[in-house]
Amino acid sequence: MANITIFDHPLIQHKISVLRSEDTGNKEFRELVKEITMLMCYESLRDLPLKDVTVKTPITETVTKMVDGPKLAIVPILRAGLGMVDGVTSIVPAARIGHIGLYRDEETLEPHEYYCKLPPNIEKRQIIVLDPMLATGGSAIAALNFIKQHGGKNIKFMCLIAAPEGIKALSEAHPDVPIFCASKDEKLNEKGYIVPGLGDAGDRIFGTK
Ligand code: PRP
Ligand code: URA
């Protein structure tokens, strides 16, 4: 069974509905992608380890908690994953950022790689791969293959909208990678678009159509 968390928080569901609407323009679309990612990131990092630190307040010295353990790396899948980066860095400003450039061939739906660059010591980092759309799963699987070939181990995949076909393919190919999403939609159409979905995420973020 897939290791998947679907965020049912009312604020996330509300923002996803506005995001889906064809009446939502590029500026608002970008803002919503950032806000939803921030809310999802907050919850999906709930398992971050903590360590005790000593802090001197104006009143007294006390032992309190700070985040410990692996440093975070986020890896957006270009282009559309770029829209999610600010949502993570607004709450984890120290996160390192890698990039994986993939585009889907519109006929075959196969992913094609055109750029990859990961932060150093990737094997020691908690990695979150970002892409708003999980459709056939081909792009996510290729990105995770690449990261693992370069030593990445501790990986989460975060998307906004996922199709059942993509969830199945991704969790079969990478059962160790938990999936976080805001909506599991109905299906893919004959062109590989998610139904009801939100259309082409990259085009809506960057205003290219
Ligand atoms: C979209 C999306 C994913 C991919 C999902 O990117 O951002 O990367 O499709 O589809 P899949 O699960 O079937 O692989 P696209 O290839 O359109 O490129 P873009 O982000 O540059 O627009
Ligand atoms: N990529 C998108 O941007 N939208 C879809 O519905 C499927 C893949």
Side-chain angles (χ1 to χ4, degrees), residues 1-7 44 47 126 134 144 153-159 162 164 166-181 184:
M1 212 175 67
N3 179 352
I4 182 164
T5 303
I6 302 170
F7 292 104
S44 61
D47 59 353
Q126 163 73 72
L134 178 63
L144 293 172
K153 294 182 188 77
N154 188 1
I155 313 173
K156 299 178 181 195
F157 180 81
M158 191 186 297
C159 61
I167 295 170
K168 182 168 182 293
L170 179 55
S171 54
E172 282 173 7
H174 294 285
D176 56 308
V177 176
I179 303 170
F180 296 88
C181 76
K184 179 179 173 182

Side-chain angles (χ1 to χ4, degrees), residues 117-131:
K117 184 106 180 160
L118 298 176
N121 304 319
I122 196 71
E123 68 285 353
K124 297 195 187 120
R125 296 181 186 276
Q126 163 73 72
I127 302 162
I128 306 184
V129 177
L130 303 173
D131 193 328

Side-chain angles (χ1 to χ4, degrees), residues 65-102:
K65 305 281 183 197
M66 278 192 181
V67 171
D68 190 17
K71 298 278 184 235
L72 190 68
I74 51 176
V75 184
I77 300 179
L78 308 182
R79 292 176 300 166
L82 287 176
M84 300 173 75
V85 169
D86 285 356
V88 180
T89 55
S90 60
I91 53 172
V92 192
R96 297 291 187 100
I97 306 172
H99 294 89
I100 297 188
L102 293 170

Side-chain angles (χ1 to χ4, degrees), residues 184-202:
K184 179 179 173 182
D185 273 16
E186 203 181 309
K187 60 178 182 185
L188 294 179
N189 70 13
E190 63 290 347
K191 290 186 171 160
Y193 276 88
I194 300 176
V195 180
L198 48 71
D200 188 305

